[in-house]
Amino acid sequence: MAVALNGDSPITSTTPSTRSSQIIQLFIQITLTIRSLLSSAPESTQAQLVLPIYKSGDRCTLELLFSMMGDNEVFMDSDELILNVARILSKSSLNSTCLSKMHGQQAIDHFMTVILKFQAEKQTPQPHLLRLLFVLGNLSTPTYDLAPAEEDPTLADLQALARHTCDLVALFAVYTRKVLRKWRRDGGEHGLEVSDEEADAESRVEAGRKVQERKGLDDRNDAGDEEVLVKVMFLSRVIDQCLTFDRL
């Protein structure tokens, strides 16, 4: 991956568009391999993601993956590649060594910028948001096994995340509306009005038919909407606890 990014790569095309396509396909295969290795590898192997890579200076695999999500539109336009990267970051955030590389205000700001970018630009951002919000959740979880003299980096991460409270509230509003629309579409409001004798039975049947037609298309997004909402609520709660603690 570092070799390809540095230009000394097996990519042979000289046409910009074709070269970009070849790089994307190469990175998709690389990230799929890394993801598969993480799924079965012990923690010691997962921790190798933070070791410096040949021909990349002091940069490690985790930092390269992290940098792929951002301003590079070639990478960001590939949903498959970026989802692979988000899955790797999500999985690696369960490893304490890897998680230590993600701490800090710069990382928090970057995650939130990417989350908002996905929400604004992608038609179905839920899979990406779920993984990145999962990382933020792990960064926001206190470390209880520290020695008394050690400072928990989670506190600084929570303070950095608190600066994005307005963004999280906006996401909460968006996904609350999505979940409520699903509830209404699935008959939630009718369920509260079953005793209304003036209800039009025919219109109910028609509404039910339309729901079934859309069900296969919408179910996956609906589930993602609810999961995103849960994760945003979790982050909002821990931020509130952090701010409450600071005021005491």
Side-chain angles (χ1 to χ4, degrees):
M1 182 178 294
V3 171
L5 286 174
N6 290 331
D8 183 17
S9 72
I11 304 300
T12 57
S13 176
T14 57
T15 305
S17 59
T18 306
R19 182 179 177 82
S20 296
S21 178
Q22 289 180 347
I23 291 175
I24 291 296
Q25 290 305 313
L26 174 63
F27 282 3
I28 287 174
Q29 296 306 313
I30 292 173
T31 52
L32 280 173
T33 301
I34 294 175
R35 180 190 166 206
S36 297
L37 289 173
L38 285 177
S39 299
S40 57
E43 286 198 7
S44 58
T45 302
Q46 295 178 18
Q48 292 184 19
L49 288 175
V50 303
L51 297 179
I53 304 174
Y54 174 67
K55 284 194 174 184
S56 64
D58 294 330
R59 301 182 78 188
C60 64
T61 302
L62 205 61
E63 290 171 325
L64 287 175
L65 292 170
F66 194 65
S67 66
M68 290 173 68
M69 293 193 304
D71 296 331
N72 194 315
E73 295 300 329
V74 174
F75 295 149
M76 294 290 282
D77 286 343
S78 173
D79 282 355
E80 184 177 2
L81 173 59
I82 294 302
L83 184 56
N84 286 345
V85 173
R87 283 170 169 162
I88 292 170
L89 293 175
S90 174
K91 178 68 175 178
S92 61
S93 72
L94 295 170
N95 181 285
S96 58
T97 303
C98 294
L99 188 65
S100 66
K101 280 284 186 180
M102 303 182 195
H103 285 298
Q105 181 175 339
Q106 185 176 357
I108 297 291
D109 291 345
H110 185 69
F111 275 120
M112 286 302 304
T113 297
V114 174
I115 285 172
L116 296 175
K117 184 178 180 66
F118 285 157
Q119 178 61 37
E121 297 180 1
K122 292 191 178 295
Q123 186 175 1
T124 54
Q126 295 91 335
H128 304 80
L129 266 59
L130 280 173
R131 273 75 183 184
L132 298 181
L133 289 169
F134 181 80
V135 176
L136 289 177
N138 288 334
L139 288 170
S140 305
T141 302
T143 306
Y144 295 104
D145 57 351
L146 292 173
E150 294 182 271
E151 183 177 349
D152 190 347
T154 301
L155 299 178
D157 289 338
L158 279 170
Q159 291 171 349
L161 193 56
R163 298 185 179 96
H164 296 278
T165 299
C166 291
D167 296 326
L168 291 172
V169 169
L171 285 173
F172 175 82
V174 169
Y175 283 91
T176 297
R177 286 195 295 268
K178 287 176 178 288
V179 171
L180 285 175
R181 279 200 298 267
K182 173 188 179 295
W183 176 73
R184 291 175 182 137
R185 189 182 70 227
D186 290 348
E189 289 182 331
H190 290 307
L192 296 176
E193 299 172 357
V194 290
S195 61
D196 187 354
E197 296 180 355
E198 297 179 356
D200 188 345
E202 184 176 347
S203 65
R204 290 187 190 179
V205 171
E206 179 65 16
R209 182 185 65 78
K210 290 180 179 179
V211 166
Q212 290 302 318
E213 288 176 352
R214 294 185 305 188
K215 188 173 179 57
L217 179 63
D218 293 340
D219 274 354
R220 184 175 301 177
N221 286 345
D222 289 340
D225 292 340
E226 294 171 3
E227 292 176 36
V228 169
L229 181 59
V230 168
K231 285 181 167 48
V232 171
M233 289 173 64
F234 170 80
L235 288 175
S236 301
R237 180 172 60 84
V238 294
I239 290 173
D240 180 65
Q241 291 175 342
C242 174
L243 295 177
T244 301
F245 179 78
D246 283 345
R247 288 193 294 264
L248 295 178

mmCIF file of all heavy atoms in Angstrom, residues 17-48:
data_model
loop_
_atom_site.group_PDB
_atom_site.id
_atom_site.type_symbol
_atom_site.label_atom_id
_atom_site.label_comp_id
_atom_site.label_asym_id
_atom_site.label_seq_id
_atom_site.Cartn_x
_atom_site.Cartn_y
_atom_site.Cartn_z
ATOM 1 N N SER A 17 -7.060 8.176 -15.558
ATOM 2 C CA SER A 17 -8.291 7.519 -15.113
ATOM 3 C C SER A 17 -8.084 6.019 -14.937
ATOM 4 O O SER A 17 -8.554 5.419 -13.961
ATOM 5 C CB SER A 17 -9.423 7.791 -16.105
ATOM 6 O OG SER A 17 -9.078 7.314 -17.397
ATOM 7 N N THR A 18 -7.376 5.401 -15.888
ATOM 8 C CA THR A 18 -7.121 3.965 -15.797
ATOM 9 C C THR A 18 -6.198 3.655 -14.630
ATOM 10 O O THR A 18 -6.386 2.660 -13.913
ATOM 11 C CB THR A 18 -6.504 3.438 -17.106
ATOM 12 O OG1 THR A 18 -7.347 3.797 -18.198
ATOM 13 C CG2 THR A 18 -6.354 1.927 -17.057
ATOM 14 N N ARG A 19 -5.189 4.493 -14.449
ATOM 15 C CA ARG A 19 -4.267 4.296 -13.334
ATOM 16 C C ARG A 19 -5.001 4.384 -11.994
ATOM 17 O O ARG A 19 -4.779 3.563 -11.109
ATOM 18 C CB ARG A 19 -3.152 5.349 -13.398
ATOM 19 C CG ARG A 19 -2.115 5.200 -12.303
ATOM 20 C CD ARG A 19 -1.010 6.248 -12.434
ATOM 21 N NE ARG A 19 -0.066 6.154 -11.343
ATOM 22 C CZ ARG A 19 0.927 5.296 -11.292
ATOM 23 N NH1 ARG A 19 1.110 4.433 -12.280
ATOM 24 N NH2 ARG A 19 1.748 5.270 -10.258
ATOM 25 N N SER A 20 -5.870 5.375 -11.863
ATOM 26 C CA SER A 20 -6.645 5.516 -10.624
ATOM 27 C C SER A 20 -7.500 4.287 -10.378
ATOM 28 O O SER A 20 -7.593 3.797 -9.249
ATOM 29 C CB SER A 20 -7.526 6.761 -10.698
ATOM 30 O OG SER A 20 -6.753 7.933 -10.786
ATOM 31 N N SER A 21 -8.128 3.772 -11.435
ATOM 32 C CA SER A 21 -8.962 2.573 -11.311
ATOM 33 C C SER A 21 -8.136 1.365 -10.872
ATOM 34 O O SER A 21 -8.564 0.578 -10.024
ATOM 35 C CB SER A 21 -9.657 2.291 -12.646
ATOM 36 O OG SER A 21 -10.428 1.115 -12.569
ATOM 37 N N GLN A 22 -6.936 1.241 -11.430
ATOM 38 C CA GLN A 22 -6.074 0.117 -11.056
ATOM 39 C C GLN A 22 -5.619 0.229 -9.601
ATOM 40 O O GLN A 22 -5.563 -0.778 -8.880
ATOM 41 C CB GLN A 22 -4.864 0.061 -11.990
ATOM 42 C CG GLN A 22 -5.197 -0.391 -13.409
ATOM 43 C CD GLN A 22 -3.969 -0.431 -14.310
ATOM 44 O OE1 GLN A 22 -2.911 0.101 -13.967
ATOM 45 N NE2 GLN A 22 -4.109 -1.070 -15.460
ATOM 46 N N ILE A 23 -5.305 1.453 -9.171
ATOM 47 C CA ILE A 23 -4.895 1.656 -7.777
ATOM 48 C C ILE A 23 -6.038 1.312 -6.830
ATOM 49 O O ILE A 23 -5.836 0.651 -5.803
ATOM 50 C CB ILE A 23 -4.436 3.116 -7.567
ATOM 51 C CG1 ILE A 23 -3.116 3.364 -8.303
ATOM 52 C CG2 ILE A 23 -4.275 3.419 -6.075
ATOM 53 C CD1 ILE A 23 -2.644 4.799 -8.243
ATOM 54 N N ILE A 24 -7.242 1.741 -7.177
ATOM 55 C CA ILE A 24 -8.405 1.443 -6.341
ATOM 56 C C ILE A 24 -8.606 -0.067 -6.225
ATOM 57 O O ILE A 24 -8.817 -0.602 -5.127
ATOM 58 C CB ILE A 24 -9.681 2.106 -6.913
ATOM 59 C CG1 ILE A 24 -9.609 3.628 -6.769
ATOM 60 C CG2 ILE A 24 -10.933 1.571 -6.220
ATOM 61 C CD1 ILE A 24 -9.577 4.115 -5.346
ATOM 62 N N GLN A 25 -8.549 -0.775 -7.338
ATOM 63 C CA GLN A 25 -8.733 -2.226 -7.314
ATOM 64 C C GLN A 25 -7.634 -2.913 -6.506
ATOM 65 O O GLN A 25 -7.892 -3.872 -5.778
ATOM 66 C CB GLN A 25 -8.758 -2.774 -8.749
ATOM 67 C CG GLN A 25 -9.994 -2.391 -9.537
ATOM 68 C CD GLN A 25 -11.278 -2.792 -8.828
ATOM 69 O OE1 GLN A 25 -11.424 -3.913 -8.340
ATOM 70 N NE2 GLN A 25 -12.223 -1.855 -8.768
ATOM 71 N N LEU A 26 -6.395 -2.408 -6.635
ATOM 72 C CA LEU A 26 -5.289 -2.958 -5.841
ATOM 73 C C LEU A 26 -5.544 -2.757 -4.360
ATOM 74 O O LEU A 26 -5.392 -3.688 -3.546
ATOM 75 C CB LEU A 26 -3.975 -2.296 -6.259
ATOM 76 C CG LEU A 26 -2.734 -2.655 -5.425
ATOM 77 C CD1 LEU A 26 -2.431 -4.147 -5.539
ATOM 78 C CD2 LEU A 26 -1.536 -1.812 -5.857
ATOM 79 N N PHE A 27 -5.974 -1.541 -3.975
ATOM 80 C CA PHE A 27 -6.218 -1.245 -2.568
ATOM 81 C C PHE A 27 -7.411 -2.022 -2.015
ATOM 82 O O PHE A 27 -7.432 -2.367 -0.841
ATOM 83 C CB PHE A 27 -6.425 0.260 -2.382
ATOM 84 C CG PHE A 27 -5.138 1.057 -2.385
ATOM 85 C CD1 PHE A 27 -3.920 0.434 -2.609
ATOM 86 C CD2 PHE A 27 -5.160 2.418 -2.165
ATOM 87 C CE1 PHE A 27 -2.743 1.156 -2.615
ATOM 88 C CE2 PHE A 27 -3.985 3.152 -2.163
ATOM 89 C CZ PHE A 27 -2.769 2.525 -2.396
ATOM 90 N N ILE A 28 -8.402 -2.246 -2.861
ATOM 91 C CA ILE A 28 -9.545 -3.060 -2.416
ATOM 92 C C ILE A 28 -9.081 -4.456 -2.035
ATOM 93 O O ILE A 28 -9.476 -4.996 -0.998
ATOM 94 C CB ILE A 28 -10.627 -3.125 -3.518
ATOM 95 C CG1 ILE A 28 -11.365 -1.778 -3.615
ATOM 96 C CG2 ILE A 28 -11.629 -4.245 -3.238
ATOM 97 C CD1 ILE A 28 -12.346 -1.700 -4.770
ATOM 98 N N GLN A 29 -8.224 -5.049 -2.856
ATOM 99 C CA GLN A 29 -7.712 -6.385 -2.568
ATOM 100 C C GLN A 29 -6.828 -6.386 -1.317
ATOM 101 O O GLN A 29 -6.896 -7.297 -0.487
ATOM 102 C CB GLN A 29 -6.925 -6.925 -3.772
ATOM 103 C CG GLN A 29 -7.762 -7.131 -5.021
ATOM 104 C CD GLN A 29 -8.975 -8.005 -4.774
ATOM 105 O OE1 GLN A 29 -8.888 -9.068 -4.154
ATOM 106 N NE2 GLN A 29 -10.132 -7.555 -5.250
ATOM 107 N N ILE A 30 -6.002 -5.340 -1.170
ATOM 108 C CA ILE A 30 -5.134 -5.244 0.004
ATOM 109 C C ILE A 30 -5.963 -5.105 1.275
ATOM 110 O O ILE A 30 -5.717 -5.799 2.276
ATOM 111 C CB ILE A 30 -4.168 -4.044 -0.136
ATOM 112 C CG1 ILE A 30 -3.155 -4.308 -1.254
ATOM 113 C CG2 ILE A 30 -3.439 -3.784 1.183
ATOM 114 C CD1 ILE A 30 -2.272 -3.126 -1.570
ATOM 115 N N THR A 31 -6.949 -4.219 1.247
ATOM 116 C CA THR A 31 -7.756 -4.006 2.448
ATOM 117 C C THR A 31 -8.624 -5.213 2.774
ATOM 118 O O THR A 31 -8.872 -5.505 3.947
ATOM 119 C CB THR A 31 -8.638 -2.743 2.299
ATOM 120 O OG1 THR A 31 -9.372 -2.815 1.066
ATOM 121 C CG2 THR A 31 -7.788 -1.486 2.300
ATOM 122 N N LEU A 32 -9.086 -5.941 1.757
ATOM 123 C CA LEU A 32 -9.822 -7.182 2.009
ATOM 124 C C LEU A 32 -8.937 -8.198 2.711
ATOM 125 O O LEU A 32 -9.369 -8.911 3.625
ATOM 126 C CB LEU A 32 -10.355 -7.760 0.694
ATOM 127 C CG LEU A 32 -11.632 -7.147 0.132
ATOM 128 C CD1 LEU A 32 -11.927 -7.718 -1.258
ATOM 129 C CD2 LEU A 32 -12.820 -7.409 1.060
ATOM 130 N N THR A 33 -7.674 -8.260 2.280
ATOM 131 C CA THR A 33 -6.725 -9.195 2.894
ATOM 132 C C THR A 33 -6.460 -8.812 4.342
ATOM 133 O O THR A 33 -6.475 -9.672 5.235
ATOM 134 C CB THR A 33 -5.404 -9.211 2.102
ATOM 135 O OG1 THR A 33 -5.665 -9.588 0.750
ATOM 136 C CG2 THR A 33 -4.422 -10.196 2.719
ATOM 137 N N ILE A 34 -6.230 -7.516 4.590
ATOM 138 C CA ILE A 34 -5.981 -7.060 5.959
ATOM 139 C C ILE A 34 -7.195 -7.352 6.836
ATOM 140 O O ILE A 34 -7.058 -7.825 7.980
ATOM 141 C CB ILE A 34 -5.660 -5.551 5.968
ATOM 142 C CG1 ILE A 34 -4.339 -5.286 5.254
ATOM 143 C CG2 ILE A 34 -5.595 -5.025 7.408
ATOM 144 C CD1 ILE A 34 -4.010 -3.817 5.106
ATOM 145 N N ARG A 35 -8.374 -7.081 6.315
ATOM 146 C CA ARG A 35 -9.594 -7.336 7.097
ATOM 147 C C ARG A 35 -9.729 -8.816 7.436
ATOM 148 O O ARG A 35 -10.079 -9.183 8.565
ATOM 149 C CB ARG A 35 -10.811 -6.862 6.313
ATOM 150 C CG ARG A 35 -12.126 -7.073 7.045
ATOM 151 C CD ARG A 35 -13.297 -6.822 6.132
ATOM 152 N NE ARG A 35 -14.526 -7.324 6.710
ATOM 153 C CZ ARG A 35 -15.584 -7.700 6.020
ATOM 154 N NH1 ARG A 35 -15.570 -7.613 4.705
ATOM 155 N NH2 ARG A 35 -16.676 -8.135 6.612
ATOM 156 N N SER A 36 -9.448 -9.693 6.474
ATOM 157 C CA SER A 36 -9.529 -11.136 6.720
ATOM 158 C C SER A 36 -8.509 -11.569 7.769
ATOM 159 O O SER A 36 -8.820 -12.399 8.643
ATOM 160 C CB SER A 36 -9.294 -11.904 5.412
ATOM 161 O OG SER A 36 -10.298 -11.605 4.461
ATOM 162 N N LEU A 37 -7.303 -11.016 7.703
ATOM 163 C CA LEU A 37 -6.274 -11.359 8.680
ATOM 164 C C LEU A 37 -6.669 -10.907 10.078
ATOM 165 O O LEU A 37 -6.458 -11.617 11.061
ATOM 166 C CB LEU A 37 -4.947 -10.719 8.282
ATOM 167 C CG LEU A 37 -4.253 -11.308 7.046
ATOM 168 C CD1 LEU A 37 -3.032 -10.470 6.675
ATOM 169 C CD2 LEU A 37 -3.848 -12.757 7.293
ATOM 170 N N LEU A 38 -7.267 -9.725 10.176
ATOM 171 C CA LEU A 38 -7.679 -9.218 11.478
ATOM 172 C C LEU A 38 -8.767 -10.071 12.109
ATOM 173 O O LEU A 38 -8.848 -10.180 13.336
ATOM 174 C CB LEU A 38 -8.180 -7.773 11.352
ATOM 175 C CG LEU A 38 -7.134 -6.682 11.171
ATOM 176 C CD1 LEU A 38 -7.813 -5.335 10.989
ATOM 177 C CD2 LEU A 38 -6.192 -6.633 12.354
ATOM 178 N N SER A 39 -9.590 -10.669 11.273
ATOM 179 C CA SER A 39 -10.719 -11.463 11.790
ATOM 180 C C SER A 39 -10.253 -12.728 12.492
ATOM 181 O O SER A 39 -10.951 -13.247 13.368
ATOM 182 C CB SER A 39 -11.670 -11.832 10.645
ATOM 183 O OG SER A 39 -12.208 -10.671 10.050
ATOM 184 N N SER A 40 -9.074 -13.235 12.122
ATOM 185 C CA SER A 40 -8.605 -14.501 12.684
ATOM 186 C C SER A 40 -7.277 -14.392 13.424
ATOM 187 O O SER A 40 -6.833 -15.335 14.063
ATOM 188 C CB SER A 40 -8.459 -15.548 11.564
ATOM 189 O OG SER A 40 -7.580 -15.077 10.552
ATOM 190 N N ALA A 41 -6.641 -13.204 13.350
ATOM 191 C CA ALA A 41 -5.302 -13.051 13.910
ATOM 192 C C ALA A 41 -5.352 -12.779 15.418
ATOM 193 O O ALA A 41 -6.292 -12.164 15.915
ATOM 194 C CB ALA A 41 -4.572 -11.912 13.212
ATOM 195 N N PRO A 42 -4.336 -13.242 16.158
ATOM 196 C CA PRO A 42 -4.246 -12.898 17.592
ATOM 197 C C PRO A 42 -3.903 -11.428 17.762
ATOM 198 O O PRO A 42 -3.518 -10.736 16.807
ATOM 199 C CB PRO A 42 -3.105 -13.795 18.089
ATOM 200 C CG PRO A 42 -2.271 -14.052 16.874
ATOM 201 C CD PRO A 42 -3.233 -14.119 15.727
ATOM 202 N N GLU A 43 -4.034 -10.925 18.987
ATOM 203 C CA GLU A 43 -3.807 -9.503 19.243
ATOM 204 C C GLU A 43 -2.398 -9.068 18.880
ATOM 205 O O GLU A 43 -2.188 -7.949 18.419
ATOM 206 C CB GLU A 43 -4.091 -9.186 20.715
ATOM 207 C CG GLU A 43 -5.567 -9.160 21.062
ATOM 208 C CD GLU A 43 -5.831 -8.430 22.365
ATOM 209 O OE1 GLU A 43 -4.882 -7.832 22.922
ATOM 210 O OE2 GLU A 43 -6.982 -8.451 22.821
ATOM 211 N N SER A 44 -1.426 -9.939 19.088
ATOM 212 C CA SER A 44 -0.046 -9.578 18.771
ATOM 213 C C SER A 44 0.130 -9.305 17.283
ATOM 214 O O SER A 44 0.892 -8.416 16.881
ATOM 215 C CB SER A 44 0.904 -10.694 19.215
ATOM 216 O OG SER A 44 0.555 -11.925 18.578
ATOM 217 N N THR A 45 -0.600 -10.051 16.453
ATOM 218 C CA THR A 45 -0.530 -9.830 15.008
ATOM 219 C C THR A 45 -1.271 -8.561 14.627
ATOM 220 O O THR A 45 -0.816 -7.788 13.780
ATOM 221 C CB THR A 45 -1.119 -11.028 14.251
ATOM 222 O OG1 THR A 45 -0.405 -12.225 14.607
ATOM 223 C CG2 THR A 45 -1.016 -10.833 12.744
ATOM 224 N N GLN A 46 -2.420 -8.320 15.255
ATOM 225 C CA GLN A 46 -3.178 -7.105 14.978
ATOM 226 C C GLN A 46 -2.352 -5.864 15.304
ATOM 227 O O GLN A 46 -2.420 -4.852 14.601
ATOM 228 C CB GLN A 46 -4.472 -7.104 15.796
ATOM 229 C CG GLN A 46 -5.450 -8.209 15.413
ATOM 230 C CD GLN A 46 -6.693 -8.202 16.275
ATOM 231 O OE1 GLN A 46 -7.000 -7.207 16.929
ATOM 232 N NE2 GLN A 46 -7.426 -9.297 16.285
ATOM 233 N N ALA A 47 -1.540 -5.950 16.344
ATOM 234 C CA ALA A 47 -0.730 -4.813 16.769
ATOM 235 C C ALA A 47 0.324 -4.429 15.741
ATOM 236 O O ALA A 47 0.888 -3.326 15.806
ATOM 237 C CB ALA A 47 -0.061 -5.108 18.107
ATOM 238 N N GLN A 48 0.596 -5.307 14.778
ATOM 239 C CA GLN A 48 1.577 -4.982 13.738
ATOM 240 C C GLN A 48 1.090 -3.859 12.820
ATOM 241 O O GLN A 48 1.880 -3.298 12.052
ATOM 242 C CB GLN A 48 1.901 -6.237 12.914
ATOM 243 C CG GLN A 48 2.656 -7.297 13.697
ATOM 244 C CD GLN A 48 3.043 -8.482 12.851
ATOM 245 O OE1 GLN A 48 3.077 -8.412 11.634
ATOM 246 N NE2 GLN A 48 3.343 -9.601 13.506
#
